[in-house]
């Protein structure tokens, strides 16, 4: 496994977020090449690269881009910088330490897909991060990489930052589009997909920050070089964020497919306070929880995680040590999902608060014998029956926590209290 | 430059007006500027009160009811007055594993406040994941993040806010 970095290799260079330093280090050198290659070649290289969306679903980026190529104009690019999934804090690193790589990726995307206007949708709380982006964008305009005539090519690319205002569901691509249009961030029914009817009812590509930041490398080095870094069907590196009960929390750029147990015990320094590992949520709060024996030699890639019964998601690894009450932890999560439901679909609007209430009741010692199966029942009705996957995202933790730690839920009910208190 | 005079209880400064004009230029229609406009107005007028929503509606030619719906949907728009410092402590999973509850309790005790309380200086809230989980527990105060908090360090931070 090649330990190369392509997103974070230079971020320790002083002032790398400034365009002069970025240029000196070889930045913005791919624009002409991308134009020479042209749309067809760029998309075919993307397909070879096995780049899959880093926002959570892992959709092949080359295929996503190919859907827009025969659509009408104008077209839009919206970059998803909502970073809302609990346990995820990776795009913040790119935006603050390597903003020009993101901007370069955006320019390449726009030139390839004949897009003249793009937006970075950044979560509203990231005020500082948004300012860093604004400053970097101003520099890129000044140097002629953005504007009405990008580097004398006659091509137009404009880029704006749009701040959200606090709503997790706005990370979902169609909610994000509504939010950018000045509306409530409520997801839209699909189809039509954004590539056909998106922002301002025009064809739109929505990609995650990390996805777009990988484009310059692929243009420069070709799709195969990117594919070679990862494993089968999963090209490139992954920004893995490790948080929770871990000695060295942080974001680590690792080749796709790097073993999860090694990430925890070697890269991130092992479990906090020399405790034993109890559980791992491998890809952000929505992804099903795994037990220590399930993460041994488990490659961090989309297919391996799915085979293990979880998901790679946003690669936000949440580490949980022995002594943690799983019922309390699930209550923390379900309070979150209940708070974030946008209310459009009955199974989500009614179901998630109901699950939350039952879990809270069990945690507080008031649980009844049928409560566990009731939760599973409600989750069954939430999954796959809604406009967006938020309801499913709320069901997975409940289902997996119960599957893996059912005895803890039962102990709460039998003892009429939390055994960890 | 045309400076549109708005007959409103709220006065818009020239500087703010310029910022609004610049914001409008980013979008193909006015309605799309609603979120950034509400951010700007909240900063200027303290919170999103009725007059702020009326002003936004007029400025963007959208119905007041629409502005109200949007302002209510998003948690960052304060619908009530807040203290000079809005303390927002993350209560979500990664922070909670690192002791966010102890941090919150320390804040409550130090300021003699409960979650939801407002006094002249502070408003105390809990919030969902702030996207800084690797450096939790995290607290956002107005536009600033304070990270890797402990029950002790958070008190020093509170004391430093004048
Ligand atoms: C409830 C919900 C929240 C989401 N939040 C985010 C987010 O914060 N950031 C993100 O990039 N994608 C998020 N997504 C995924 C997006 O809908 C979309 O798949 C992604 O932005 C596509 O980009 P990609 O193909 O580059 O991954 C979320 C999805 C759902 C259902
Ligand atoms: S599943 Fe929930 S969040 Fe998604 S559209 Fe339906 S109600 Fe809204
Ligand atoms: S859980 Fe607190 S910042 Fe993410």
């Amino acid at each position: 496994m090649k330990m190369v970095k392509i997103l974070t290799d230079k971020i320790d260079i002083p002032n790398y977020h400034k365009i002069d330093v970025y240029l000196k280090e070889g930045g913005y050198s791919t624009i002409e090449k991308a134009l020479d290659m042209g749309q067809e070649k760029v998309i075919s290289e993307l397909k070879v690269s096995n780049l899959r969306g880093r926002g959570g679903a892992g959709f092949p980026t080359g295929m996503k881009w190919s859907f827009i190529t025969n659509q009408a104009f104008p077209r839009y690019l919206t970059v998803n910088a909502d970073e809302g999934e609990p346990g995820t804090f990776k795009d913040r690193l790119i935006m603050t330490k390597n903003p020009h790589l993101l901007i370069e990726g955006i320019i390449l995307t726009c030139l390839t897909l004949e897009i003249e206007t793009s937006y970075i949708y950044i979560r509203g709380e990231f005020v500082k991060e948004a300012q860093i982006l604004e400053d970097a964008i101003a520099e890129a305009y000044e140097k002629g990489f953005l504007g009405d005539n990008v580097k004398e090519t006659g091509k137009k690319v404009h880029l704006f930052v749009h701040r959200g205002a606090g709503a997790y569901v706005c990370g979902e691509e169609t909610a994000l589009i509504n939010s950018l249009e000045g509306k409530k961030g409520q997801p839209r029914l699909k189809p039509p997909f954004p590539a056909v009817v998106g922002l301002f009812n025009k064809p739109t590509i929505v990609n995650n920050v990390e996805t777009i930041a990988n484009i310059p490398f692929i243009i420069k080095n070709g799709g195969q070089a990117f594919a070679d870094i990862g494993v089968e069907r999963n090209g490139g590196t992954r920004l893995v964020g490790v948080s929770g009960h871990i000695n060295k929390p942080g974001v680590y750029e690792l080749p796709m497919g790097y073993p999860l147990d090694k990430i925890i015990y070697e890269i991130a320094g092992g479990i906090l306070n020399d405790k034993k590992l109890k559980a791992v949520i491998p890809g952000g709060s929505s992804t099903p929880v795994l037990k220590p024996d399930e993460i041994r030699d488990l490659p961090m890639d989309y297919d391996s995680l799915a085979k293990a019964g979880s998901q790679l998601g946003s690669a936000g690894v949440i580490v949980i040590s022995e002594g943690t009450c799983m019922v309390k932890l699930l209550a923390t999560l379900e309070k979150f999902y209940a708070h974030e439901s946008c209310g459009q679909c009955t199974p989500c609007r009614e179901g998630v608060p109901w699950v939350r209430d039952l879990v809270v009741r069990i945690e507080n010692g008031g649980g009844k014998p049928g409560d566990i199966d009731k939760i599973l029942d409600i989750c069954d009705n939430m999954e796959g029956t809604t406009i967006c996957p938020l309801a499913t995202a709320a069901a997975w933790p409940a289902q997996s926590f119960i599957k893996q730690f059912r005895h803890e839920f039962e102990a709460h009910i039998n003892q009429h209290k939390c055994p960890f208190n | 430059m045309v400076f549109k005079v708005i007959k409103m209880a709220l006065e818009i400064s020239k500087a703010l007006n310029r910022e609004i004009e610049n914001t409008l230029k980013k979008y193909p229609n006015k309605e799309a500027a609603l979120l950034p406009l509400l951010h700007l107005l909240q900063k200027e007028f303290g919170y999103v009160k009725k007059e702020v929503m009326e002003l936004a509606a007029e400025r963007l030619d959208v119905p007041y009811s629409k502005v109200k719906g949007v302002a209510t949907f998003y948690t960052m728009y304060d619908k009530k007055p807040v203290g000079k410092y809005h303390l927002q402590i993350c209560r979500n999973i990664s922070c909670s594993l690192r002791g966010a509850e102890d941090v919150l309790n320390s804040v409550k005790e130090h300021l003699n406040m409960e979650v939801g309380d407002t006094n002249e200086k502070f408003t105390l809230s809990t919030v969902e994941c702030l996207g800084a989980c690797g450096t939790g527990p995290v607290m956002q105060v107005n536009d600033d993040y304070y990270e890797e908090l402990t029950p002790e360090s958070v008190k020093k931070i509170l004391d430093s806010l004048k």
Side-chain angles (χ1 to χ4, degrees):
Chain A
M1 192 159 275
K2 273 197 274 178
M3 291 298 277
V4 285
K5 294 182 182 181
I6 62 188
L7 304 170
T8 60
D9 51 334
K10 292 182 177 161
I11 58 173
D12 292 327
I13 297 172
N15 286 319
Y16 194 61
H17 66 288
K18 302 297 255 180
I19 201 163
D20 290 336
V21 179
Y22 185 75
L23 283 168
K24 210 171 114 215
E25 294 294 328
Y28 288 111
S29 59
T30 53
I31 292 174
E32 267 170 44
K33 186 164 181 203
L35 282 171
D36 285 346
M37 285 166 75
Q39 185 176 87
E40 214 170 300
K41 178 75 178 146
V42 169
I43 291 181
S44 83
E45 286 300 316
L46 267 187
K47 287 182 175 164
V48 170
S49 78
N50 288 329
L51 171 61
R52 295 169 71 174
R54 304 305 198 225
F59 194 83
T61 307
M63 199 190 299
K64 182 182 274 189
W65 285 20
S66 69
F67 295 151
I68 204 173
T69 55
N70 54 2
Q71 298 295 325
F73 299 97
R75 302 165 179 172
Y76 290 103
L77 169 66
T78 61
V79 178
N80 194 338
D82 198 52
E83 191 120 283
E85 173 91 349
T88 314
F89 50 102
K90 64 187 182 69
D91 297 333
R92 187 185 186 211
L93 183 75
I94 298 178
M95 293 188 284
T96 52
K97 300 282 187 185
N98 208 348
H100 285 292
L101 182 70
L102 174 61
I103 297 171
E104 185 172 349
I106 290 170
I107 295 167
L108 299 173
T109 308
C110 288
L111 292 175
T112 300
L113 301 175
E114 299 168 88
I115 294 169
E116 294 186 342
T117 308
S118 51
Y119 297 92
I120 299 173
Y121 184 100
I122 185 169
R123 58 176 303 160
E125 294 85 349
F126 280 174
V127 183
K128 294 271 148 67
E129 291 76 3
Q131 191 55 51
I132 293 171
L133 287 175
E134 295 275 16
D135 293 346
I137 289 169
E139 288 182 323
Y141 267 102
E142 204 177 293
K143 295 270 188 221
F145 294 112
L146 289 168
D148 285 335
N149 185 8
V150 173
K151 282 284 140 193
E152 267 76 61
T153 57
K155 309 276 181 195
K156 224 188 218 184
V157 178
H158 287 279
L159 173 58
F160 305 105
V161 176
H162 180 98
R163 271 176 62 217
Y168 163 67
V169 71
C170 286
E172 194 281 331
E173 56 187 12
T174 59
L176 181 148
I177 287 170
N178 274 335
S179 183
L180 237 165
E181 291 181 357
K183 301 181 176 129
K184 291 183 198 172
Q186 291 182 313
R188 299 175 180 177
L189 263 176
K190 292 190 272 193
F193 289 91
V196 182
V197 183
L199 184 61
F200 307 120
N201 291 324
K202 306 295 182 202
T204 301
I205 289 289
V206 183
N207 272 134
N208 172 261
V209 166
E210 185 186 345
T211 309
I212 295 291
N214 278 306
I215 305 297
F217 179 94
I218 295 169
I219 299 292
K220 196 175 201 166
N221 303 285
Q224 194 56 49
F226 189 83
D228 287 345
I229 296 169
V231 290
E232 210 187 330
R233 298 191 349 108
N234 293 264
T237 61
R238 193 75 224 248
L239 292 182
V240 177
V242 190
S243 67
H245 293 144
I246 189 83
N247 278 321
K248 293 195 281 178
V251 178
Y252 301 97
E253 183 175 8
L254 297 164
M256 198 61 111
Y258 199 87
L260 181 51
D261 52 348
K262 275 194 168 172
I263 295 176
I264 293 174
Y265 290 105
E266 292 172 20
I267 304 282
I271 314 302
L272 196 65
N273 298 331
D274 287 326
K275 287 202 180 160
K276 270 173 66 183
L277 182 65
K278 178 170 186 175
V280 181
I281 301 174
S285 64
S286 311
T287 58
V289 65
L290 297 171
K291 284 189 159 173
D293 56 331
E294 293 172 304
I295 67 158
R296 209 160 297 138
D297 299 322
L298 179 62
M300 276 289 272
D301 65 68
Y302 291 100
D303 304 307
S304 305
L305 264 291
K307 224 190 285 163
S310 190
Q311 297 283 324
L312 180 58
S314 61
V317 177
I318 304 166
V319 179
I320 300 155
S321 72
E322 216 47 85
T324 308
C325 173
M326 298 306 280
V327 179
K328 187 172 178 195
L329 212 54
L330 181 61
T332 300
L333 289 181
E334 297 302 341
K335 281 178 196 169
F336 164 70
Y337 290 109
H339 180 256
E340 301 298 335
S341 168
C342 86
Q344 287 188 106
C345 325
T346 314
C348 178
R349 185 185 62 241
E350 310 275 328
V352 188
W354 197 1
V355 169
R356 172 202 61 198
D357 291 346
L358 287 168
V359 177
V360 169
R361 175 159 107 185
I362 296 172
E363 167 61 12
N364 292 339
K368 306 216 163 64
D371 281 358
I372 299 173
D373 291 323
K374 175 72 97 348
I375 294 171
L376 295 175
D377 243 20
I378 304 167
C379 286
D380 274 350
N381 287 317
M382 279 162 25
E383 237 188 319
T385 60
T386 51
I387 295 175
C388 94
L390 188 142
T392 305
W396 279 351
Q399 291 165 324
S400 69
F401 273 54
I402 290 175
K403 177 172 155 248
Q404 303 272 36
F405 299 96
R406 192 175 176 114
H407 57 280
E408 272 185 36
F409 290 78
E410 287 165 349
H412 279 74
I413 294 172
N414 295 337
Q415 298 173 29
H416 306 291
K417 67 177 182 70
C418 174
F420 290 85
N421 279 346
Chain B
M1 204 202 295
V2 202
F3 180 57
K4 197 175 158 202
V5 182
I6 304 163
K7 285 185 226 86
M8 279 288 166
L10 298 176
E11 186 109 13
I12 296 211
S13 69
K14 271 196 182 157
L16 177 59
N17 195 59
R18 214 171 306 122
E19 258 190 282
I20 296 173
E21 294 290 332
N22 285 337
T23 302
L24 284 167
K25 281 189 210 135
K26 295 181 179 180
Y27 308 97
N29 65 46
K30 287 200 272 185
E31 181 182 353
L34 180 53
L35 266 67
L37 178 61
L38 287 175
H39 279 307
L40 286 172
L41 296 179
Q42 169 158 306
K43 209 167 187 86
E44 185 87 358
F45 300 111
Y47 71 105
V48 180
K49 52 189 139 191
K50 183 154 180 277
E51 294 78 14
V52 162
M53 292 188 274
E54 283 169 356
L55 199 156
E58 165 137 337
R59 187 70 190 236
L60 303 181
D61 287 325
V62 296
Y64 172 80
S65 59
K66 209 218 107 151
V67 175
K68 193 169 176 193
V70 166
T72 321
F73 184 84
Y74 296 95
T75 55
M76 285 182 70
Y77 300 127
D78 300 315
K79 271 68 75 178
K80 289 187 300 200
V82 291
K84 183 172 174 200
Y85 297 105
H86 191 176
L87 312 173
Q88 300 162 84
I89 298 176
C90 172
R91 55 156 294 278
N92 216 304
I93 183 162
S94 304
C95 289
S96 112
L97 290 169
R98 300 295 288 219
E101 230 178 276
D102 298 336
V103 171
L104 177 63
N105 286 333
S106 170
V107 172
K108 284 189 195 170
E109 197 180 303
H110 196 62
L111 300 179
N112 193 19
M113 292 176 83
E114 288 299 318
V115 173
D117 284 356
T118 290
N119 58 37
E120 222 151 80
K121 192 162 172 194
F122 295 112
T123 293
L124 178 58
S125 306
T126 56
V127 291
E128 297 300 348
C129 176
L130 287 165
C133 326
T135 43
V138 187
M139 169 173 74
Q140 181 167 21
V141 182
N142 301 349
D143 290 350
D144 297 316
Y145 275 36
Y146 294 90
E147 299 167 53
E148 296 181 327
L149 298 174
T150 65
E152 289 71 41
S153 74
V154 77
K155 286 190 215 164
K156 289 207 189 89
I157 292 163
L158 296 175
D159 292 339
S160 74
L161 300 170
K162 294 297 170 207

